[in-house]
Amino acid sequence: MIHSLFVINHSGDVFMEKHWRSIIPRTVMDYFFEAQRQVVKDNKGHEDVPCVIATPHHYLISIYRNSLYFVAVCMSEVPPLFVIEFLHTVVDILEKYFSECNESNIKEHYVVVYELLDEVLDNGYPLATEPNILQELIRPPNIIGNLINTVTGKSNVSSVLPSGQLSNVPWRKADVKYTNNEAYFDIIEEVDAIIDKTGKQNCSTVFAEIAGKIECCVRLSGTPDLTLSFINPRLMDDVSFHPCVRLKRWENERILSFVPPDGSFCLMTYHVGCQSAVAIPIYIRHNFFLPKENSQSQTGKIEITVGPRQTMGRVVENLQLSIPMPKFILNCTVTVNQGRATFDPVTKILLWDVGKIDPTKLPNMRGQIHIQSGALILQSTPSVNVQFTLTQIAISGLKVHRLDMFGENYKPFKGVKYLTKAGNFQIRM
Amino acid sequence: MATGNLGLTYGGQEKTPSLSGETEFAAEAGAPGGLFHADYKRHDDLKQMLDSSKDSLKLEAMKRIIGMVAKGRDASDLFPAVVKNVVSKNIEVKKLVYVYLVRYAEEQQDLALLSISTFQRALKDPNQLIRASALRVLSSIRVPVIVPIMMLAIRDSVSDMSPYVRKTAAHAIPKLYDLDPEQKDELVMVIERLLSDQTTLVVGSAVMAFEQVCPERTDLIHKNFRKLCAVLVDIEEWGQVIIIGMLTRYARTQFTDPNINGTIHSEKDKPFYEESEEDEAKEKPTESLVLDPDHRLLLRNTKPLLQSRNSSVVMAVAQLYHHLAPREDVAVVTRALIRLLRSHREVQTVVLNSVASMSVNRKDMFEPFLKNFFVRSTDATQIKLLKLEILTNLANESNITFILREFQTYISSQDRDLVAATIQAIGRCAAGIKEVTDTCLSGLIALLSNSDELVVAESVVVIKKLLQTHQGSHGDIVGQMARLVNRITVPQARAAILWLVGEHCEKKRVSKMAPDVLRFMARTFANEQDVVKLQILNLAAKLCLSNPKQTKVLCQYVFSLAKYDQNYDIRDRTRFLRHLVFPSTEHALLAKYAKKIFLASKPAPVIESVFKDRDEFQLGSLSHYLNSRVVGYMDLPGFPAVAPDSNVRNVESPRPAIPVTSVRGNSAVASSKGKKKETFYSESSSENEEVKDESGSSDSKSDSSSEIDSDSAESDSEESSEEDPDDSVNISQQNIVRLSPSLSPSPPSQRLSRTLVIQSSSESEYSSNSSDSDSIDSDKAVKTVKTSRIPPTIPKSNLDLLLDLDVSDSITTPVMASVPGIPLGTLASTPITDCSIQPASAAYISTRPMELVSSISSGCGLQILYRYTRSINLYSASMVTIELTLVNTGNEDLTEVKITNKIMPVGISMHEFTTLASLPVGATRLVTIGIDFGDSTQNVSCDLVASGKPIKINFRPSVGELIRPVTCTEGVFINEQGKLKGMNEHNFSITNTSELEDVKSISTKIFRTTNMASINSSDPNTLRFAGQTLTSKSLVLVTILVGTNPKLTVCCEKMIIGSMLLAELKEALKN
């Protein structure tokens, strides 16, 4: 399965390697660097490095996260998703440990990382990837912990097998105790949409979908058994669950019944498909034009107005528009009546930070686009990537009915929060 | 990075160990190469620290060493110093030494051997974590000398108490196998043992070892197949992936092709609508093709995993369905795959790759989700191209306009690769769908005037292909393209134009231009790319043949230019062409046909998906992704024409099996294992001939009735097995009925306590059963087995009832279903007034349900059948258990099936079944209700609501069902009968004596009518039956005298019951 792991930073240094079987020399990474160079040559981003590279004797499967490449080396047939998913799990674990998985954190905690890597894989096969178990085996580093260890001579490494490893609920630690028992549920929905222009000013929705997830933060003592029910569970088209959710119960009754892991986790994700009507909270009126190919003019025009639409009575907040301009554009000079607009001449991105939409005075941007002199003008139209949030509402209309707890005697504090964000929200100009 | 100088100064300071290893690394980074001295010093320092007696110093040293290892620096010269510390008491030092050892043992084998004895000792440690890690390290140091020691350690560890150690042992097996493949035979035995392990923790790793060592030994899987299917949901995610992969291959060798009827049509890539038509026609036969129950089990048990959060699990299930499921079932994976498209970029790439491959043959599956494959400007190029590929695969007449409009936006995209690929895609759509060929062609021609050269070039290439496939005169188009030669610099496009000009050189408009084109090309010949040069040669040859007057000289000129070209292909081609076009007289034979050779009509290229030929690889595998055979790839075997014997998967001993909540399902499942069933029923047949016949006939009925029956039953059983991860048992004989615990929220540790187990087997079998439940790991259940065993004083009861029921916090109706035709167990805890009178089992249970509401009268296609199970209702002992069979014969799914609006006379209560969320079309569900009739035969009516529509139902019990059988000795019977004289006694003299000759048939008739038990009688002419009313527990005693003066006597404290029963019995005996 997975023979070795190499971690590569932005500048192309292998700063960490781990081998679970025989040592594979670092030179195998040359193939990876070559692929990377090729991508840079083609003027593409880091995302375009192929995630599977076949070399004569090895197969390099990589992921790119937090501007680090994690490259797994395999030597025989293995489902590529297995490796990719595993690498992401490793990064998730490291994020849980160090709050952020970046180069300096890994370098600072070489030993902990190494111990973790040793625990998650055995001979290339996943052994323990459940964060709760790992955190019992190897304690996450923190200042107080270090202090205690220095004073008492205890170590970060557990000498007994974590109870979760053998239990039916491996995701939950035994003997959890809190003075304040609380359970918070954040229902976060992201609107994915592609909106196209048809005709002059009208925007038509080509595709719209809602992807939701329920992020929980559960701090409850003992082994509580929770059930969460929705007022309108049938909205959800396709769901995926944390392993703690009892699938049968969902299938039969549309109720989430689970023994939660301790701490923060993602309980479920769901989709509200494109079959049902998705409310699009904003609209954009735009006017974008580049000078004709053979004209002498070196300037084009851009004008954008944003307005609210189907917001369910909430205010659109944190509105941000980013427009990747074609490469031949030298600069944009725009004036806005709200927020701040900047143009990055290197990445060629025009970023407009709007903020809240005030329906009485619609945000508006207008200005000129300057073309590089002598550059070939291609009539390509950029698309606008939109970010926004709507608080206290799930745009699909999903609502939690009730949350019950069984198995423990105390009364927990329960909280549910709704939030709608723009996911992959694109408007073609 | 520090410079070399810095490194030196650090070297001097290193006498004092720094607390954080970080400064060390900074220094070290500058050190490699020239600073040998500093390096040496540092290691010296580390050695000193390792040799010290302080744990903290050792730990510090080890941390620094591990830091070096992590950075990939050589720390091998410290090996002796480190290995000494393997005996350290400090767990963290020890762990780090282990890490170091695994890294360098291979290089320093002799020294590594020093540590072996420590591990051997640690393998006996009482702490399971220490045992496990010792085994891990021992198996990870790749030193061939210790193979025997490893083998020994593995063999010991597979029988370790701790599942964690057993799991580690499973991981160690492939390591040993890599080291010494000769150990295979012995390792296979170990694997076999691990495969039958009962804990889910071990099973995943065991299968992994199986896959590594002996994937060809499918015979090892047979016995574990059903268990693996049953516990799959409870195994950790990584294990699931491996098991599903293995089961896919296994299923391919064991089951027949589910699409055997449809394959011929489905394999061909026909336009979508034709296919669907054919599918409709084919649907019927495919459906009637009965899948092996195990095949179905596998598909059903993997389906819930589509909801896993782990993308590789979802992909594994998707490929299983792709390779194994009947065509119409594969669509269930679509949504899950679409969901993965919101995941990380890498996941998207791999999933889209698989989808692209699937969409070649399974258009209908993805067509509804077309929009999900629309390209976004933020996607990575690779993903964009894959999406484009999928869109093209999915294109058909109905959605092509939609897709083309989408393509149009892509052409103006900033991503050049996407633009090029889009034009290719338009070409493919045009070639594939006749209706739009002309539109596409004109669109592509319009692109020829695009300002972007890339677009033009790509269009040229595509138009060339299209013109080839598209018959007709294209003089205009070719002429227009010929003019582009000056402008376009992309070699492929130039070559394509030249080829087109050559091919159409006899057409009206082209013929005039062609010589000019050649003249122009001849001028630039030397600077052209090879592809273009070859096409210039081709053009020259063709023109020379068709229009020698204008071009002969030009052609000769080109040929002589090419003769001295650097590329040997071009030189060869020139030589070849020259002899055909300008033959020297003696070789004129071929030259005569030159024109035919060059200007023959050429077959059109087939424009098709590049994913077309990927079928040979298993979906989702690395080989499939790379489209080349990867080391270690195992081909997916084809389906066998005839399935091998499915009995190999039966497990021999009648173990406590997957719990079933229904009776019908039980018989249906049992019926699939023919031989077993025989023995199963023969047990009861000795008791009651009639019963056996009954059950036999009902069996065959449930056989012939559709698969759906067993479906519902099996899905029920899944439910309970999922809830209980430890319960890794197989579906075989279902002597066990269990409450589904899923409805009552309880911590998993307590789940087992809710299980209700009824064993219908003889006393001798009991022991084997209890030992089995021992192995299930459920201490609690075992305990209850022991406590609630029925005292052996009851002679009649050959059944044991294991019951541990906690009704109070259970929401559900705890009703145990019964096995038809089989005497049922009694409830040990039933309140009994007189200890000499014991509850007994029903002697006869009707297996034929009677109709309560017909599908017509219900108005919504719901048919309701009812049957008295004659089993003890678990909710209340005074309730009559009625099993309702709900069949949806309509053509709409029913939802929210429940009982409401109960109209009860005083003293009568009812316990309804839990609401059924849905009842799909054609589905059958068994539900059980309990009614306490209060010892009366009053009507109980209620509404059964389905999809919000009430259906009136009435229950009016026959008096015989209000009685529960009891046994007692003959003496007690006569004594009790003596108390019930006068008003309580009802007599009837039987006149028609001829019917009473057969004692046996009388008993049967009595048993059918009323639920009573027969009492041993000393007088052969006297038959005695005893029972007890359900609510008031008053005795009901029936005596039948046969012989000269036949007489029927019913004694009961409740006169009404007595008289009614007499009437019913009279009626029964007459028939």
Side-chain angles (χ1 to χ4, degrees), chain A residues 26 47 85 118 190 192, chain B residues 71 136 311 342 345 623:
Chain A
R26 219 175 244 227
E47 291 83 33
E85 187 72 35
D118 204 49
E190 294 189 355
D192 291 354
Chain B
K71 299 191 81 179
R136 261 182 77 182
S311 63
R342 262 192 72 87
R345 168 187 71 96
S623 304

Side-chain angles (χ1 to χ4, degrees), chain A residues 15-17 20-23 26 44 47-52 54 59 62-65 75-82 84-86 88-89 107 110-111 114-115 118-119 121-123 125-127 129-130 137 155-161 165-166 168-169 190 192-194 196 206-207 209 211 225 237-243 246-249 252-253 259 269 271 293 324-326 376-383 385 406 424 426 428, chain B residues 22 25 63 66-67 69-72 90-92 95-96 99 103 106 127-129 136 140 142 163-164 167 171 174-175 178 201 208 212 233 237-238 241-242 304 307-312 315 335-336 339 342 344-347 349-351 368 371-372 374-378 380-382 406 409-410 412-415 417 451-452 620-623 625-626 629-633 715 718-719 722-723 725-726 742-743 745-748 751 917:
Chain A
F15 69 94
M16 169 126 194
E17 62 180 67
W20 284 277
R21 295 190 186 181
S22 299
I23 283 70
R26 219 175 244 227
K44 299 234 176 70
E47 291 83 33
D48 283 308
V49 177
C51 55
V52 181
Y59 301 94
S62 60
I63 63 163
Y64 180 70
R65 259 178 84 171
M75 288 184 74
S76 60
E77 174 62 46
V78 57
L81 262 190
F82 185 94
I84 289 168
E85 187 72 35
F86 175 79
H88 280 295
T89 313
K107 278 185 169 170
Y110 260 128
V111 178
Y114 223 66
E115 281 171 340
D118 204 49
E119 213 53 60
L121 274 191
D122 181 14
N123 196 33
Y125 283 91
L127 187 64
T129 51
E130 195 55 55
L137 265 180
S155 72
N156 280 347
V157 178
S158 163
S159 60
V160 288
L161 191 71
Q165 181 82 61
L166 297 176
N168 294 332
V169 278
E190 294 189 355
D192 291 354
I194 299 176
D196 206 352
V206 177
F207 164 80
E209 208 174 56
D225 195 321
D237 257 352
D238 177 53
V239 285
S240 78
F241 299 114
H242 189 274
R246 299 188 180 107
L247 297 176
K248 270 292 158 190
R249 196 93 200 267
N252 296 335
E253 300 166 66
V259 176
T269 65
H271 258 218
E293 259 171 77
M325 290 290 180
L376 183 70
I377 300 163
L378 302 172
Q379 288 298 337
S380 62
T381 49
S383 55
N385 296 315
F406 302 92
N424 230 322
Q426 243 173 40
R428 293 175 180 160
Chain B
E22 193 39 39
F25 302 133
K63 279 185 173 172
I66 294 303
V69 173
K71 299 191 81 179
N90 183 314
I91 191 98
E92 195 169 8
K95 207 158 189 169
L96 295 177
V99 172
R103 169 70 178 77
E106 211 171 359
N127 184 335
Q128 52 182 343
L129 184 65
R136 261 182 77 182
S140 297
R142 293 161 291 272
Y164 185 67
K167 186 185 174 75
H171 278 274
K175 299 185 207 169
D178 285 345
L201 188 66
M208 178 273 296
Q212 285 290 297
V233 272
E237 294 158 342
W238 313 111
V241 178
I242 292 166
Q307 282 163 349
S308 170
R309 62 171 174 175
N310 188 316
S311 63
S312 59
M315 193 65 225
R335 266 179 204 285
R339 183 182 70 229
R342 262 192 72 87
H344 298 286
R345 168 187 71 96
E346 298 85 4
V347 175
T349 315
V350 178
V351 171
K371 287 177 173 178
N372 285 285
F374 282 180
V375 173
R376 295 160 195 280
S377 61
T378 40
T381 307
Q382 223 181 345
E406 190 66 18
T409 40
Y410 302 160
S412 62
S413 153
Q414 294 169 36
D415 190 330
D417 292 344
S451 57
D452 191 351
S621 67
L622 189 57
S623 304
Y625 184 85
L626 296 169
R629 194 163 285 271
V630 169
V631 184
Y633 176 76
S715 61
E718 261 170 53
E719 183 174 55
E722 268 167 31
E723 292 298 320
D726 279 338
S742 63
L743 291 171
S746 65
R751 283 184 196 146

Side-chain angles (χ1 to χ4, degrees), chain B residues 129-403:
Chain B
L129 184 65
I130 291 178
R131 285 203 302 275
S133 54
L135 180 63
R136 261 182 77 182
V137 180
L138 183 68
S139 54
S140 297
I141 48 179
R142 293 161 291 272
V143 180
V145 190
I146 61 160
V147 164
I149 299 175
M150 270 166 81
M151 191 67 227
L152 212 67
I154 290 174
R155 242 184 298 159
D156 283 352
S157 301
V158 289
S159 44
D160 197 284
M161 286 277 286
S162 158
Y164 185 67
V165 177
R166 295 203 296 273
K167 186 185 174 75
T168 317
H171 278 274
I173 291 170
K175 299 185 207 169
L176 179 55
Y177 178 68
D178 285 345
L179 204 58
D180 183 10
E182 282 178 18
Q183 303 287 329
K184 183 172 172 177
D185 293 339
E186 210 161 339
L187 286 174
V188 170
M189 279 156 61
V190 176
I191 290 171
E192 191 173 3
R193 189 181 167 137
L194 281 172
L195 280 175
S196 58
D197 201 292
Q198 299 292 334
T199 36
T200 49
L201 188 66
V202 182
V203 175
S205 303
V207 173
M208 178 273 296
F210 170 85
E211 285 284 85
Q212 285 290 297
V213 179
C214 52
E216 72 285 349
R217 290 288 303 272
T218 38
D219 54 306
L220 297 184
I221 302 300
H222 292 323
K223 290 265 173 280
N224 296 301
F225 175 80
R226 286 173 193 153
K227 179 188 80 177
L228 286 175
C229 287
V231 300
L232 198 56
V233 272
D234 297 310
I235 292 171
E236 32 86 49
E237 294 158 342
W238 313 111
Q240 286 172 349
V241 178
I242 292 166
I243 293 177
I244 294 172
M246 185 274 290
L247 288 179
T248 309
R249 268 190 305 108
Y250 176 82
R252 274 289 186 117
T253 61
Q254 299 299 317
F255 308 128
T256 49
D257 189 351
N259 298 315
I260 200 109
N261 298 333
T263 35
I264 304 142
H265 299 274
S266 55
E267 288 310 320
K268 299 277 168 269
D269 61 329
K270 292 215 168 132
F272 168 68
Y273 77 108
E274 272 177 47
E275 198 173 50
S276 68
E277 263 170 33
E278 245 149 336
D279 264 8
E280 254 167 66
K282 280 279 172 274
E283 212 124 290
K284 293 275 149 52
T286 340
E287 236 166 7
S288 66
L289 188 93
V290 180
L291 288 184
D292 188 299
D294 286 327
H295 192 169
R296 200 167 275 280
L297 176 79
L298 174 64
L299 291 175
R300 198 178 312 109
N301 281 9
T302 46
K303 195 174 157 194
L305 296 182
L306 285 171
Q307 282 163 349
S308 170
R309 62 171 174 175
N310 188 316
S311 63
S312 59
V313 175
V314 177
M315 193 65 225
V317 179
Q319 66 86 21
L320 181 123
Y321 266 77
H322 178 70
H323 291 296
L324 291 177
R327 196 169 165 75
E328 60 273 13
D329 286 356
V330 183
V332 300
V333 306
T334 323
R335 266 179 204 285
L337 286 177
I338 299 292
R339 183 182 70 229
L340 296 186
L341 298 183
R342 262 192 72 87
S343 189
H344 298 286
R345 168 187 71 96
E346 298 85 4
V347 175
Q348 283 185 45
T349 315
V350 178
V351 171
L352 284 171
N353 208 290
S354 300
V355 171
S357 176
M358 284 171 95
S359 63
V360 174
N361 285 328
R362 299 183 190 277
K363 291 182 184 207
D364 44 330
M365 234 174 99
F366 295 101
E367 218 214 332
F369 300 93
L370 193 70
K371 287 177 173 178
N372 285 285
F373 299 108
F374 282 180
V375 173
R376 295 160 195 280
S377 61
T378 40
D379 287 334
T381 307
Q382 223 181 345
I383 291 171
K384 286 179 184 164
L385 299 186
L386 284 166
K387 282 184 171 175
L388 204 60
E389 176 71 36
I390 294 166
L391 285 177
T392 320
N393 283 345
L394 296 180
N396 62 34
E397 285 79 357
S398 55
N399 59 22
I400 184 70
T401 44
F402 202 51
I403 290 179

Side-chain angles (χ1 to χ4, degrees), chain A residues 64-239:
Chain A
Y64 180 70
R65 259 178 84 171
N66 307 340
S67 59
L68 294 177
Y69 289 101
F70 294 81
V71 188
V73 185
C74 303
M75 288 184 74
S76 60
E77 174 62 46
V78 57
L81 262 190
F82 185 94
V83 182
I84 289 168
E85 187 72 35
F86 175 79
L87 291 175
H88 280 295
T89 313
V90 168
V91 179
D92 290 340
I93 291 170
L94 294 182
E95 272 174 357
K96 276 224 159 118
Y97 264 76
F98 313 124
S99 73
E100 202 190 333
C101 173
N102 55 23
E103 188 180 353
S104 64
N105 268 339
I106 293 180
K107 278 185 169 170
E108 197 178 327
H109 302 289
Y110 260 128
V111 178
V112 179
V113 175
Y114 223 66
E115 281 171 340
L116 278 174
L117 289 179
D118 204 49
E119 213 53 60
V120 289
L121 274 191
D122 181 14
N123 196 33
Y125 283 91
L127 187 64
T129 51
E130 195 55 55
N132 265 304
I133 292 175
L134 287 171
Q135 282 178 6
E136 270 185 75
L137 265 180
I138 302 154
R139 258 163 239 128
N142 55 33
I143 297 164
I144 300 167
N146 284 343
L147 210 69
I148 292 169
N149 289 344
T150 331
V151 176
T152 59
K154 278 194 185 149
S155 72
N156 280 347
V157 178
S158 163
S159 60
V160 288
L161 191 71
S163 51
Q165 181 82 61
L166 297 176
S167 89
N168 294 332
V169 278
W171 53 83
R172 191 166 181 91
K173 280 187 247 188
D175 310 324
V176 185
K177 276 212 174 66
Y178 289 105
T179 41
N180 294 326
N181 290 296
E182 41 194 21
Y184 297 105
F185 295 82
D186 289 3
I187 298 181
I188 302 166
E189 295 197 337
E190 294 189 355
V191 185
D192 291 354
I194 299 176
I195 294 171
D196 206 352
K197 50 153 197 274
T198 46
K200 259 275 174 231
Q201 294 280 301
N202 296 328
C203 297
S204 73
T205 310
V206 177
F207 164 80
E209 208 174 56
I210 296 169
K213 60 181 174 184
I214 303 182
E215 296 277 3
C216 310
C217 183
V218 178
R219 299 180 193 286
L220 298 174
S221 316
T223 316
D225 195 321
L226 303 179
T227 53
L228 182 71
S229 58
F230 300 97
I231 289 179
N232 38 8
R234 276 166 217 288
L235 272 177
M236 295 183 251
D237 257 352
D238 177 53
V239 285

Side-chain angles (χ1 to χ4, degrees), chain B residues 55 337 709 900:
Chain B
D55 270 354
L337 286 177
D709 255 6
T900 56

Side-chain angles (χ1 to χ4, degrees), chain B residues 803-821:
Chain B
L803 173 69
D804 178 7
L805 179 69
D806 188 5
V807 181
S808 55
D809 66 334
S810 164
I811 310 165
T812 168
T813 328
V815 172
M816 76 187 178
S818 57
V819 182

